[in-house]
Amino acid sequence: KAGVTQTPRYLIKTRGQQVTLSCSPISGHRSVSWYQQTPGQGLQFLFEYFSETQRNKGNFPGRFSGRQFSNSRSEMNVSTLELGDSALYLCASSLGGTSYEQYFGPGTRLTVT
Amino acid sequence: LAKTTQPISMDSYEGQEVNITCSHNNIATNDYITWYQQFPSQGPRFIIQGYKTKVTNEVASLFIPADRKSSTLSLPRVSLSDTAVYYCLVAFNNAGNMLTFGGGTRLMVKP
């Protein structure tokens, strides 16, 4: 099976702009979770989508949003970018049960200037 | 408060067994504990997952005591290629399924 894919792999944006990141899960996986990874804060949970519905949400401002399509592919959007949004954004897919055995993509490296 | 805590770093030598502990005091009855390995510029890679007692697969073992407030990842006979950051993850059901990673343990394996 193909693994989790994320596009783009690298992105440079200017403060105030918005950005959309994409994630394609492993075939058959219905849950997609998004994480932000920074050297200072580590891996932080953004939100999880399951069957096109947001199931769980972390403690991030409303500028961070997401959605999931009927084929389980997911997108994450960040509006009004701030310098502190520079990070590696990771998505992970799982079957959708409560065990959260997740498989991660390679991430999108976002740099905000 | 949903929190997982790990040692920041550990050193070991090739061929030794390495044990990395994660504490998760507020874990709920149905929460699973999952461990990941991460190399630079890559996403975390699934290692092992457990719910109680002991789980073993081809690369690691996971020990979970009866109170489940901590867990220990055991890597037998490490090699240089095991040098990486190891993370524990708990989905805290009593905190709205907040998926919470520990801060990560940087393991350095020396020859």
Short mmCIF file of all heavy atoms in Angstrom, two decimals, chain A residues 49-86:
data_model
loop_
_atom_site.label_atom_id
_atom_site.label_comp_id
_atom_site.label_asym_id
_atom_site.label_seq_id
_atom_site.Cartn_x
_atom_site.Cartn_y
_atom_site.Cartn_z
N TYR A 49 -10.07 14.52 11.66
CA TYR A 49 -11.28 14.36 10.86
C TYR A 49 -11.54 12.89 10.65
O TYR A 49 -10.61 12.09 10.42
CB TYR A 49 -11.16 15.08 9.52
CG TYR A 49 -11.33 16.56 9.67
CD1 TYR A 49 -10.24 17.38 9.99
CD2 TYR A 49 -12.58 17.16 9.54
CE1 TYR A 49 -10.40 18.74 10.15
CE2 TYR A 49 -12.74 18.53 9.71
CZ TYR A 49 -11.64 19.30 10.02
OH TYR A 49 -11.80 20.65 10.20
N PHE A 50 -12.82 12.55 10.75
CA PHE A 50 -13.24 11.16 10.55
C PHE A 50 -14.54 11.20 9.78
O PHE A 50 -15.49 11.85 10.22
CB PHE A 50 -13.40 10.45 11.89
CG PHE A 50 -13.93 9.05 11.77
CD1 PHE A 50 -13.10 8.02 11.36
CD2 PHE A 50 -15.25 8.76 12.08
CE1 PHE A 50 -13.57 6.72 11.25
CE2 PHE A 50 -15.73 7.47 11.98
CZ PHE A 50 -14.88 6.45 11.56
N SER A 51 -14.58 10.52 8.65
CA SER A 51 -15.79 10.49 7.81
C SER A 51 -16.33 11.90 7.56
O SER A 51 -17.52 12.16 7.77
CB SER A 51 -16.86 9.61 8.46
OG SER A 51 -16.47 8.27 8.46
N GLU A 52 -15.44 12.79 7.18
CA GLU A 52 -15.76 14.17 6.76
C GLU A 52 -16.20 15.07 7.90
O GLU A 52 -16.65 16.20 7.65
CB GLU A 52 -16.84 14.15 5.66
CG GLU A 52 -16.44 13.37 4.42
CD GLU A 52 -17.52 13.36 3.36
OE1 GLU A 52 -17.81 14.44 2.81
OE2 GLU A 52 -18.07 12.27 3.08
N THR A 53 -16.07 14.62 9.14
CA THR A 53 -16.48 15.42 10.30
C THR A 53 -15.29 15.62 11.23
O THR A 53 -14.52 14.69 11.45
CB THR A 53 -17.63 14.73 11.05
OG1 THR A 53 -18.73 14.53 10.16
CG2 THR A 53 -18.07 15.55 12.25
N GLN A 54 -15.18 16.81 11.77
CA GLN A 54 -14.13 17.04 12.75
C GLN A 54 -14.51 16.32 14.04
O GLN A 54 -15.51 16.65 14.68
CB GLN A 54 -13.94 18.54 13.01
CG GLN A 54 -12.73 18.84 13.89
CD GLN A 54 -12.55 20.33 14.12
OE1 GLN A 54 -13.10 20.91 15.05
NE2 GLN A 54 -11.79 20.98 13.25
N ARG A 55 -13.68 15.41 14.46
CA ARG A 55 -14.00 14.58 15.62
C ARG A 55 -13.35 15.12 16.90
O ARG A 55 -13.91 15.02 17.98
CB ARG A 55 -13.59 13.14 15.36
CG ARG A 55 -13.97 12.17 16.48
CD ARG A 55 -14.02 10.73 16.01
NE ARG A 55 -12.71 10.17 15.71
CZ ARG A 55 -12.52 8.86 15.50
NH1 ARG A 55 -13.53 8.01 15.55
NH2 ARG A 55 -11.30 8.41 15.21
N ASN A 56 -12.12 15.63 16.74
CA ASN A 56 -11.40 16.16 17.90
C ASN A 56 -10.65 17.41 17.48
O ASN A 56 -10.30 17.57 16.30
CB ASN A 56 -10.38 15.14 18.44
CG ASN A 56 -11.04 13.88 18.90
OD1 ASN A 56 -11.92 13.91 19.75
ND2 ASN A 56 -10.64 12.76 18.33
N LYS A 57 -10.35 18.24 18.46
CA LYS A 57 -9.68 19.50 18.15
C LYS A 57 -8.71 19.84 19.26
O LYS A 57 -9.03 19.68 20.45
CB LYS A 57 -10.71 20.61 17.99
CG LYS A 57 -10.15 21.93 17.49
CD LYS A 57 -11.28 22.92 17.28
CE LYS A 57 -10.79 24.20 16.64
NZ LYS A 57 -9.74 24.89 17.40
N GLY A 58 -7.53 20.33 18.87
CA GLY A 58 -6.54 20.78 19.85
C GLY A 58 -6.76 22.23 20.20
O GLY A 58 -7.78 22.84 19.88
N ASN A 59 -5.78 22.81 20.88
CA ASN A 59 -5.91 24.18 21.37
C ASN A 59 -5.23 25.19 20.45
O ASN A 59 -4.30 25.88 20.86
CB ASN A 59 -5.31 24.27 22.78
CG ASN A 59 -6.05 23.40 23.76
OD1 ASN A 59 -7.27 23.30 23.73
ND2 ASN A 59 -5.30 22.73 24.64
N PHE A 60 -5.68 25.27 19.25
CA PHE A 60 -5.15 26.24 18.29
C PHE A 60 -6.24 27.26 17.95
O PHE A 60 -7.43 26.96 18.01
CB PHE A 60 -4.68 25.53 17.02
CG PHE A 60 -3.31 24.94 17.14
CD1 PHE A 60 -3.10 23.74 17.78
CD2 PHE A 60 -2.20 25.60 16.61
CE1 PHE A 60 -1.83 23.20 17.91
CE2 PHE A 60 -0.93 25.07 16.72
CZ PHE A 60 -0.74 23.87 17.37
N PRO A 61 -5.80 28.48 17.56
CA PRO A 61 -6.80 29.52 17.24
C PRO A 61 -7.59 29.16 15.98
O PRO A 61 -7.20 28.30 15.21
CB PRO A 61 -5.93 30.77 17.03
CG PRO A 61 -4.57 30.27 16.73
CD PRO A 61 -4.42 28.98 17.49
N GLY A 62 -8.68 29.88 15.80
CA GLY A 62 -9.57 29.62 14.69
C GLY A 62 -8.96 29.86 13.32
O GLY A 62 -9.55 29.46 12.31
N ARG A 63 -7.79 30.47 13.28
CA ARG A 63 -7.09 30.66 11.99
C ARG A 63 -6.73 29.32 11.36
O ARG A 63 -6.50 29.23 10.16
CB ARG A 63 -5.80 31.47 12.18
CG ARG A 63 -5.99 32.86 12.75
CD ARG A 63 -4.68 33.63 12.75
NE ARG A 63 -3.66 33.04 13.60
CZ ARG A 63 -2.58 32.42 13.15
NH1 ARG A 63 -2.37 32.28 11.85
NH2 ARG A 63 -1.67 31.92 13.99
N PHE A 64 -6.65 28.31 12.18
CA PHE A 64 -6.32 26.97 11.71
C PHE A 64 -7.63 26.21 11.50
O PHE A 64 -8.43 26.06 12.44
CB PHE A 64 -5.45 26.24 12.74
CG PHE A 64 -4.09 26.81 12.90
CD1 PHE A 64 -3.87 27.91 13.71
CD2 PHE A 64 -3.01 26.25 12.23
CE1 PHE A 64 -2.60 28.45 13.86
CE2 PHE A 64 -1.73 26.77 12.38
CZ PHE A 64 -1.53 27.87 13.20
N SER A 65 -7.85 25.74 10.31
CA SER A 65 -9.07 25.00 10.02
C SER A 65 -8.75 23.85 9.07
O SER A 65 -7.67 23.80 8.48
CB SER A 65 -10.12 25.92 9.40
OG SER A 65 -9.66 26.43 8.15
N GLY A 66 -9.69 22.97 8.93
CA GLY A 66 -9.46 21.84 8.05
C GLY A 66 -10.76 21.32 7.50
O GLY A 66 -11.86 21.79 7.85
N ARG A 67 -10.62 20.36 6.63
CA ARG A 67 -11.79 19.65 6.13
C ARG A 67 -11.37 18.31 5.56
O ARG A 67 -10.18 18.09 5.29
CB ARG A 67 -12.52 20.46 5.06
CG ARG A 67 -11.69 20.82 3.84
CD ARG A 67 -12.55 21.56 2.83
NE ARG A 67 -11.79 22.01 1.67
CZ ARG A 67 -12.36 22.50 0.56
NH1 ARG A 67 -13.67 22.61 0.47
NH2 ARG A 67 -11.61 22.90 -0.45
N GLN A 68 -12.33 17.44 5.40
CA GLN A 68 -12.06 16.13 4.84
C GLN A 68 -13.09 15.84 3.77
O GLN A 68 -14.28 16.14 3.93
CB GLN A 68 -12.10 15.06 5.93
CG GLN A 68 -11.68 13.68 5.44
CD GLN A 68 -11.72 12.63 6.53
OE1 GLN A 68 -12.57 12.68 7.42
NE2 GLN A 68 -10.81 11.68 6.48
N PHE A 69 -12.63 15.23 2.70
CA PHE A 69 -13.50 14.95 1.57
C PHE A 69 -14.00 13.50 1.64
O PHE A 69 -13.53 12.70 2.45
CB PHE A 69 -12.73 15.20 0.27
CG PHE A 69 -12.22 16.61 0.16
CD1 PHE A 69 -10.92 16.93 0.54
CD2 PHE A 69 -13.04 17.62 -0.31
CE1 PHE A 69 -10.45 18.23 0.45
CE2 PHE A 69 -12.57 18.92 -0.40
CZ PHE A 69 -11.28 19.22 -0.02
N SER A 70 -14.92 13.18 0.77
CA SER A 70 -15.54 11.86 0.81
C SER A 70 -14.55 10.73 0.53
O SER A 70 -14.77 9.58 0.92
CB SER A 70 -16.70 11.79 -0.19
OG SER A 70 -16.24 12.07 -1.50
N ASN A 71 -13.42 11.05 -0.13
CA ASN A 71 -12.41 10.01 -0.38
C ASN A 71 -11.36 9.97 0.74
O ASN A 71 -10.32 9.36 0.59
CB ASN A 71 -11.73 10.26 -1.72
CG ASN A 71 -11.00 11.61 -1.78
OD1 ASN A 71 -11.05 12.37 -0.81
ND2 ASN A 71 -10.36 11.89 -2.89
N SER A 72 -11.66 10.64 1.83
CA SER A 72 -10.82 10.72 3.04
C SER A 72 -9.62 11.65 2.92
O SER A 72 -8.95 11.90 3.92
CB SER A 72 -10.33 9.34 3.50
OG SER A 72 -11.41 8.56 3.94
N ARG A 73 -9.38 12.17 1.75
CA ARG A 73 -8.31 13.18 1.63
C ARG A 73 -8.68 14.40 2.47
O ARG A 73 -9.87 14.70 2.67
CB ARG A 73 -8.14 13.59 0.18
CG ARG A 73 -6.92 14.47 -0.09
CD ARG A 73 -6.78 14.78 -1.58
NE ARG A 73 -7.83 15.67 -2.07
CZ ARG A 73 -7.79 17.00 -1.98
NH1 ARG A 73 -6.77 17.60 -1.40
NH2 ARG A 73 -8.77 17.72 -2.47
N SER A 74 -7.65 15.04 3.02
CA SER A 74 -7.91 16.15 3.93
C SER A 74 -7.07 17.37 3.55
O SER A 74 -5.99 17.23 2.96
CB SER A 74 -7.60 15.74 5.37
OG SER A 74 -7.78 16.81 6.27
N GLU A 75 -7.58 18.51 3.85
CA GLU A 75 -6.84 19.75 3.67
C GLU A 75 -6.82 20.52 4.98
O GLU A 75 -7.78 20.45 5.78
CB GLU A 75 -7.50 20.63 2.59
CG GLU A 75 -7.30 20.13 1.18
CD GLU A 75 -7.93 21.04 0.15
OE1 GLU A 75 -8.72 21.94 0.52
OE2 GLU A 75 -7.63 20.86 -1.04
N MET A 76 -5.76 21.26 5.19
CA MET A 76 -5.64 22.14 6.33
C MET A 76 -5.37 23.54 5.82
O MET A 76 -4.58 23.73 4.90
CB MET A 76 -4.48 21.71 7.23
CG MET A 76 -4.43 22.42 8.55
SD MET A 76 -2.88 22.14 9.42
CE MET A 76 -1.94 23.49 8.79
N ASN A 77 -6.05 24.50 6.40
CA ASN A 77 -5.90 25.89 5.99
C ASN A 77 -5.46 26.74 7.17
O ASN A 77 -5.97 26.56 8.30
CB ASN A 77 -7.23 26.40 5.43
CG ASN A 77 -7.12 27.83 4.90
OD1 ASN A 77 -7.25 28.78 5.65
ND2 ASN A 77 -6.85 27.95 3.62
N VAL A 78 -4.52 27.60 6.91
CA VAL A 78 -4.12 28.59 7.93
C VAL A 78 -4.30 29.97 7.31
O VAL A 78 -3.72 30.26 6.25
CB VAL A 78 -2.67 28.41 8.39
CG1 VAL A 78 -2.38 29.34 9.58
CG2 VAL A 78 -2.38 26.97 8.76
N SER A 79 -5.11 30.79 7.94
CA SER A 79 -5.34 32.14 7.42
C SER A 79 -4.52 33.14 8.22
O SER A 79 -4.07 32.86 9.33
CB SER A 79 -6.83 32.49 7.52
OG SER A 79 -7.23 32.51 8.87
N THR A 80 -4.31 34.29 7.63
CA THR A 80 -3.58 35.39 8.28
C THR A 80 -2.32 34.88 8.95
O THR A 80 -2.16 34.93 10.19
CB THR A 80 -4.48 36.11 9.31
OG1 THR A 80 -5.80 36.26 8.80
CG2 THR A 80 -3.92 37.50 9.60
N LEU A 81 -1.43 34.37 8.16
CA LEU A 81 -0.22 33.73 8.68
C LEU A 81 0.60 34.67 9.56
O LEU A 81 0.73 35.87 9.28
CB LEU A 81 0.64 33.23 7.52
CG LEU A 81 0.16 31.96 6.84
CD1 LEU A 81 0.88 31.76 5.51
CD2 LEU A 81 0.37 30.76 7.75
N GLU A 82 1.16 34.08 10.61
CA GLU A 82 2.06 34.79 11.52
C GLU A 82 3.43 34.11 11.46
O GLU A 82 3.54 32.94 11.07
CB GLU A 82 1.51 34.74 12.95
CG GLU A 82 0.14 35.38 13.09
CD GLU A 82 -0.42 35.23 14.49
OE1 GLU A 82 0.26 34.63 15.36
OE2 GLU A 82 -1.55 35.71 14.73
N LEU A 83 4.45 34.87 11.87
CA LEU A 83 5.80 34.30 11.85
C LEU A 83 5.88 33.01 12.66
O LEU A 83 6.57 32.06 12.29
CB LEU A 83 6.81 35.32 12.39
CG LEU A 83 6.98 36.60 11.57
CD1 LEU A 83 7.99 37.52 12.26
CD2 LEU A 83 7.42 36.30 10.14
N GLY A 84 5.14 32.97 13.76
CA GLY A 84 5.15 31.79 14.63
C GLY A 84 4.49 30.56 14.03
O GLY A 84 4.55 29.49 14.63
N ASP A 85 3.87 30.71 12.89
CA ASP A 85 3.26 29.56 12.23
C ASP A 85 4.28 28.74 11.45
O ASP A 85 3.95 27.67 10.92
CB ASP A 85 2.14 30.01 11.29
CG ASP A 85 0.99 30.68 12.01
OD1 ASP A 85 0.77 30.34 13.21
OD2 ASP A 85 0.31 31.53 11.40
N SER A 86 5.48 29.24 11.34
CA SER A 86 6.54 28.49 10.68
C SER A 86 6.77 27.18 11.43
O SER A 86 7.06 27.19 12.64
CB SER A 86 7.84 29.30 10.65
OG SER A 86 7.71 30.44 9.85
#
